[in-house]
Amino acid sequence: MTPWSLARRSARMNPSLIREILKLAERPGVLSMAGGLPSADSFPVDAIAEACARVMAQAPRQALQYAASEGYGPLRDWVAQRLAAMGLRASAEQVLITSGSQQGLDLVGKVLIDAGAPVAVESPTYLGALQAFNPYEPIYAGLAGDDEGPLPGAIEALPHDAPGTRFAYLLPNFQNPTGRVLPEARRDALVHAAQAARVPLVEDNPYGDLWYDEEPPAPLAARWPEGTVYLGSFSKVLAPGLRLGYLLAPESLYPKLLQAKQAADLHTPGFNQRVVYEVVRDGFLDRHVATIRARYRRQRDAMAAALVAHLPALSHWRAPLGGMFFWVRLPEGCDALGLLPNALAAGIAYVPGLPFYAHAGDPRTLRLSFVTLSPQEIGDGVAVLGRVLREHLDAQGEVAP
Amino acid sequence: MTPWSLARRSARMNPSLIREILKLAERPGVLSMAGGLPSADSFPVDAIAEACARVMAQAPRQALQYAASEGYGPLRDWVAQRLAAMGLRASAEQVLITSGSQQGLDLVGKVLIDAGAPVAVESPTYLGALQAFNPYEPIYAGLAGDDEGPLPGAIEALPHDAPGTRFAYLLPNFQNPTGRVLPEARRDALVHAAQAARVPLVEDNPYGDLWYDEEPPAPLAARWPEGTVYLGSFSKVLAPGLRLGYLLAPESLYPKLLQAKQAADLHTPGFNQRVVYEVVRDGFLDRHVATIRARYRRQRDAMAAALVAHLPALSHWRAPLGGMFFWVRLPEGCDALGLLPNALAAGIAYVPGLPFYAHAGDPRTLRLSFVTLSPQEIGDGVAVLGRVLREHLDAQGEVAP
């Protein structure tokens, strides 16, 4: 008999379906459109290697010693300046460097969520945020939405439908998984609704720099600084393996988030913070992100063309204006999770949409990443997907005419 | 009016008194014995710089990409082998790489502590562990102890005194703050008591390699593998700024700890894990730790001699056999926190003992670090401490004869 008793919250921690799918998708020969990874070909290897050498030559003992929980001062300054240029009311004192923006989500949950308290999320939303919040045992209030994002009316209804909602978690730019971006007018309407409902916002923006057609509108946090925690990341614009993100918090919240950070891991590795600062300090990031945009735009265009060419009638999608994903709704009779074994057997992989919903989701949805395959491979992979779907629909038609 | 409502647990997160003291201790001209930092002169800068260059030359894209939540396979293998050599039943599958052992403490708290559940801790204990556990709202059961560590009777009494105790948190080797080590017989007696009481153990071992006289006995985890989570760290033997630790968990707990890790920060930076693996893979660590031991032993001896020479009568301490700290109990009439301003004014700093107690503590205690000052500076600093104490005692004698 085990001597261990688990905390109640551990019942809300569960193995990730996506992790299991990704393991299957890693088999040799599988064209995987399942991953949530950026393209490793986009990593600025030379710049990072040079920065490592510079940090180890110039300040090795400082970089390798314990450091402040708030983060490395010059990097906090840099982040604050970048956010200010986006229209945010950002001072370095309100910037907290985190171990990836995933940690930012954990800290927000730790400081704000009581067991049984409502948290409003989009339907669907980012799976990793649900995983970060779940251990704090919220009750999720799903926000109805359309192709322009959550509906302001859904926020307005929160005081009635989910009184005491701690915050609404929103991804305005090229959301994972749907890829959709909130237009200017929707942003304004949502912020006004949130202010009226007194529901503060947690704004997650890992993909904002990855726009392929036009720059997205200013963040929600620019419209309601004291009511918004803003989360950013270097994972999609430099490299995720350094685990470096940041948050910008209102003055009333910052001290508790900082104390939660200190309790969680003391501080984000100082070495990594200095390396990234060395890489970005001279304006490198804007030049580099332009190359990622050009690369991903070609891949986005290839997938858009391939979907038109190969997906069966009554499939639905909208080509995203940024980010890394297409979100596809299959024709009636197609269950994305149920069809995954067929897809894997045929040599491709995708992620079914269900895990992205806090509540019951749409089983006909799936997510396709376009950033890790070449345009040629994207064409091949989508052609296989189309064949798998048509074979299934044809077989269905035979049994149920 | 702020729109934010804080979670109840946030009332248990508070600014660290020690952080405030350390800020004061950083003033130029202060001989600080307050820090909990290893000596930056002990960092193997060349080996780490070479390892960085090697990783960036040989596997940059893998090192910079997202990676497994469990940790980098070869590093997990290396840790398992090292732990097995210490007598632990360690397979790589049970090793979880963490962002410093502070994160190990947070994960353990997240998975095991319900609000109001008892957690047994030594008196005093490591402050950072209290900070990690506090957000999960435990009730602390203080374990009575002596110079050989907690008393087995205190563990035996837990089912009566604190029924449902989730675990006992123990630091057998050169504990922070007291420096004491548990002898072989006490380890056996504590494990037997814990097994009888069905109270599992969380064993924290950041200092075990820093022994100056003889190697400490085998860990508690070697005596009760299925009832012990073991935490280790590279912070004190390589460098803390890389934020790299690990835990070894029984099979029944590992999956939940892994899910908690994934939710907290996805994974510890793969780059850092590969760099440390490159540094340690060929046996470097044993050679390097021997140099740290020689350095710290000289400093320990210098502080032992200085305390004998300079502290007033009726001060009490025992020279530690390892680690980084002396724990001093001042004579009656001396309040360590109250005297700190005098000490800072005289140009030295220490940490008062009170923050290390979960409950009311002994105000006459203080902690002195011997690892960041030279033997000469240690002699000077302790001489000043002795003078501050004697001036205070003399003044007391004058007002209250």
Side-chain angles (χ1 to χ4, degrees):
Chain A
M1 203 183 98
T2 172
W4 302 97
S5 297
L6 296 179
R8 188 185 65 183
R9 77 178 64 81
S10 73
R12 294 281 293 263
M13 307 177 197
N14 289 298
S16 157
L17 176 64
I18 290 190
R19 264 173 75 93
E20 301 310 310
I21 292 171
L22 291 178
K23 279 182 196 162
L24 296 172
E26 279 169 12
R27 289 185 310 199
V30 172
L31 285 175
S32 178
M33 297 173 282
L37 315 178
S39 167
D41 294 333
S42 76
F43 301 160
V45 169
D46 292 344
I48 293 174
E50 285 159 24
C52 284
R54 217 147 56 229
V55 168
M56 287 305 294
Q58 291 172 0
R61 288 178 180 77
Q62 296 92 321
L64 296 173
Q65 186 57 286
Y66 283 117
S69 299
E70 292 88 342
Y72 178 53
L75 184 63
R76 293 171 76 205
D77 289 339
W78 184 92
V79 167
Q81 282 167 31
R82 191 163 179 90
L83 296 182
M86 292 166 63
L88 293 170
R89 194 168 80 195
S91 82
E93 288 69 39
Q94 306 310 125
V95 172
L96 179 64
I97 304 293
T98 57
S99 301
S101 70
Q102 183 71 23
Q103 185 182 47
L105 296 170
D106 178 54
L107 299 178
V108 161
K110 206 172 199 172
V111 165
L112 293 175
I113 304 176
D114 277 311
V119 167
V121 295
E122 302 173 53
S123 300
T125 188
Y126 171 52
L127 172 70
L130 298 177
Q131 289 177 328
F133 300 153
N134 279 344
Y136 305 109
E137 303 178 86
I139 292 171
Y140 291 111
L143 296 169
D146 60 19
D147 283 345
E148 298 196 336
L151 298 173
I155 300 272
E156 279 161 19
L158 285 172
H160 176 273
D161 294 350
T165 292
R166 295 305 169 94
F167 58 86
Y169 170 70
L170 302 177
L171 299 101
N173 295 329
F174 322 123
Q175 191 219 37
N176 178 359
T178 63
R180 64 100 199 85
V181 60
L182 269 56
E184 174 74 27
R186 180 63 59 92
R187 290 177 194 233
D188 268 342
L190 281 171
V191 166
H192 287 142
Q195 288 171 328
R198 300 201 61 71
V199 172
L201 304 175
V202 174
E203 177 175 25
D204 196 2
N205 187 23
Y207 303 105
D209 286 318
L210 303 182
W211 51 267
Y212 311 130
D213 305 284
E214 59 181 22
E215 202 169 342
L220 306 176
R223 299 155 210 261
W224 194 18
E226 69 276 21
T228 309
V229 173
Y230 175 93
L231 304 172
S233 172
F234 291 100
S235 290
K236 308 303 188 294
V237 292
L238 279 183
L242 297 169
R243 307 304 305 124
L244 216 54
Y246 48 86
L247 61 80
L248 178 75
E251 282 175 40
S252 63
L253 270 190
Y254 190 91
K256 287 292 179 194
L257 290 167
L258 174 61
Q259 288 150 25
K261 164 72 181 169
Q262 197 183 359
D265 65 0
L266 298 182
H267 63 87
T268 293
F271 177 75
N272 302 36
Q273 295 185 62
R274 287 168 185 260
V275 167
V276 164
Y277 176 68
E278 283 297 316
V279 170
V280 300
R281 60 184 296 179
D282 71 345
F284 171 85
L285 197 58
D286 288 327
R287 300 191 300 275
H288 179 64
V289 167
T291 69
I292 303 181
R293 274 189 212 120
R295 168 191 296 272
Y296 286 0
R297 184 189 296 117
R298 281 194 301 275
Q299 291 163 295
R300 190 258 332 243
D301 292 345
M303 186 168 276
L307 289 168
V308 169
H310 299 296
L311 249 55
L314 303 178
S315 303
H316 176 81
W317 69 91
R318 281 174 61 142
L321 302 178
M324 298 170 27
F325 307 109
F326 277 74
W327 181 248
V328 178
R329 186 159 192 256
L330 301 177
E332 202 176 329
C334 290
D335 177 277
L337 183 57
L339 284 169
L340 185 61
N342 304 14
L344 287 166
I348 63 157
Y350 56 78
V351 175
L354 282 184
F356 295 96
Y357 292 90
H359 300 121
D362 182 344
R364 285 161 56 186
T365 54
L366 60 85
R367 190 192 75 179
L368 298 175
S369 162
F370 54 84
V371 302
T372 50
L373 298 182
S374 69
Q376 172 69 44
E377 291 168 323
I378 289 171
D380 294 347
V382 172
V384 173
L385 174 62
R387 180 163 53 76
V388 167
L389 293 172
R390 265 191 308 274
E391 283 173 3
H392 170 74
L393 289 167
D394 290 351
Q396 262 203 335
E398 282 163 24
V399 285
Chain B
M1 202 181 98
T2 171
W4 302 97
S5 297
L6 296 179
R8 189 185 64 183
R9 76 177 67 79
S10 73
R12 294 280 295 265
M13 308 177 195
N14 289 298
S16 159
L17 177 64
I18 290 190
R19 264 173 76 94
E20 301 310 309
I21 293 171
L22 292 179
K23 279 182 195 161
L24 297 172
E26 278 168 12
R27 290 187 307 202
V30 171
L31 286 175
S32 178
M33 298 173 283
L37 315 178
S39 167
D41 294 333
S42 77
F43 301 160
V45 169
D46 292 344
I48 293 174
E50 285 159 24
C52 285
R54 217 147 57 228
V55 168
M56 287 306 294
Q58 291 172 1
R61 288 179 179 77
Q62 296 92 321
L64 296 173
Q65 186 56 284
Y66 283 116
S69 299
E70 292 88 341
Y72 177 52
L75 184 63
R76 294 171 77 205
D77 289 340
W78 184 92
V79 167
Q81 282 167 31
R82 192 163 179 93
L83 296 181
M86 292 166 65
L88 292 170
R89 195 168 80 193
S91 82
E93 287 70 38
Q94 305 311 123
V95 172
L96 179 65
I97 304 295
T98 57
S99 300
S101 70
Q102 183 72 21
Q103 185 182 47
L105 296 169
D106 177 54
L107 300 179
V108 160
K110 205 172 200 174
V111 166
L112 294 174
I113 304 176
D114 277 312
V119 167
V121 295
E122 302 175 52
S123 300
T125 189
Y126 171 53
L127 172 70
L130 298 177
Q131 290 177 327
F133 299 154
N134 280 344
Y136 304 109
E137 303 179 90
I139 293 171
Y140 291 111
L143 296 168
D146 60 17
D147 283 345
E148 298 196 335
L151 298 173
I155 300 273
E156 279 160 19
L158 286 172
H160 176 273
D161 294 350
T165 292
R166 295 305 170 92
F167 58 85
Y169 170 70
L170 302 176
L171 300 102
N173 294 329
F174 322 124
Q175 191 219 38
N176 179 0
T178 64
R180 64 98 199 85
V181 60
L182 271 53
E184 175 75 28
R186 180 61 60 91
R187 291 176 194 234
D188 269 343
L190 281 171
V191 167
H192 287 141
Q195 289 171 326
R198 302 200 61 71
V199 172
L201 304 175
V202 173
E203 177 175 25
D204 195 2
N205 188 24
Y207 302 106
D209 285 317
L210 302 182
W211 51 266
Y212 310 130
D213 304 285
E214 59 182 23
E215 202 169 342
L220 305 176
R223 299 154 213 260
W224 193 19
E226 69 276 20
T228 310
V229 172
Y230 175 93
L231 304 172
S233 172
F234 291 100
S235 290
K236 308 304 186 297
V237 293
L238 280 182
L242 297 169
R243 306 306 303 125
L244 215 55
Y246 49 87
L247 61 78
L248 178 74
E251 282 175 39
S252 63
L253 270 190
Y254 190 91
K256 287 293 178 195
L257 290 166
L258 174 61
Q259 288 150 25
K261 164 72 180 168
Q262 196 183 358
D265 65 1
L266 298 183
H267 63 87
T268 294
F271 178 75
N272 302 39
Q273 296 186 63
R274 286 169 186 259
V275 166
V276 165
Y277 176 67
E278 283 297 316
V279 171
V280 301
R281 59 184 297 181
D282 72 345
F284 171 86
L285 196 58
D286 288 328
R287 301 191 299 275
H288 179 64
V289 167
T291 69
I292 303 180
R293 276 189 211 120
R295 167 191 297 271
Y296 286 0
R297 184 189 295 117
R298 282 193 301 276
Q299 291 163 296
R300 190 261 327 248
D301 292 345
M303 186 168 277
L307 290 168
V308 169
H310 299 296
L311 251 55
L314 302 179
S315 304
H316 175 81
W317 69 90
R318 282 174 58 141
L321 303 177
M324 297 171 26
F325 306 110
F326 277 74
W327 181 249
V328 178
R329 185 160 192 256
L330 301 177
E332 202 176 327
C334 290
D335 177 277
L337 183 58
L339 285 168
L340 186 61
N342 305 13
L344 288 166
I348 63 157
Y350 56 77
V351 175
L354 282 184
F356 295 96
Y357 292 89
H359 301 122
D362 182 345
R364 285 161 56 187
T365 54
L366 60 84
R367 190 192 74 178
L368 298 174
S369 162
F370 54 85
V371 303
T372 49
L373 298 182
S374 69
Q376 172 70 45
E377 292 169 324
I378 288 170
D380 295 346
V382 172
V384 173
L385 174 62
R387 179 162 56 74
V388 167
L389 293 172
R390 265 192 309 275
E391 283 173 3
H392 171 74
L393 288 167
D394 290 349
Q396 263 205 332
E398 282 162 25
V399 285

